[in-house]
Amino acid sequence: LPFIRGRRVERARRALEQRTQAARIIFDLSCEPSNVVACLRTMDSFGLQFAEIVGGEFEDIGYGGAMGAQKFMSLRWWPSAESCIDWHRRKGYTILAVDGDEEVQAL
């Protein structure tokens, strides 16, 4: 980090160490990619480190609104929801699902 000096580097390190790995948010790009951008900004502000993105390509998100947030987060791309969910289950994560469709019934 050539442009950041001592104290600021240490502050950045402490901030990154406080980010949580306990929760991972999974997004389906087939819905509304622009909403993913807004969520990345919110996740960054709450200290969530990991975003899992199913389907689509890096360019599909349109990072304009999230510029900066994705630089400090860990984004992982998955070819399918099944592969993403299977991996998280094997790692011991509890899977919770939210769908904005009006036809979906509450569990």
Side-chain angles (χ1 to χ4, degrees), residues 32-93:
E32 185 60 48
S34 62
N35 287 344
V36 174
V37 173
C39 290
L40 290 176
R41 288 191 311 265
T42 302
M43 289 174 62
D44 183 47
S45 70
F46 279 104
L48 295 171
Q49 182 64 39
F50 295 94
E52 314 287 341
I53 302 170
V54 175
E57 297 293 330
F58 186 77
E59 295 80 20
D60 291 344
I61 288 187
Y63 273 117
M67 289 313 286
Q70 81 279 6
K71 293 178 188 176
F72 303 104
M73 298 177 66
S74 301
L75 306 181
R76 188 178 343 194
W77 299 84
W78 297 88
S80 69
E82 292 80 13
S83 62
C84 181
I85 290 170
D86 288 346
W87 185 89
H88 285 86
R89 281 197 176 127
R90 283 195 311 274
K91 295 293 183 181
Y93 285 93

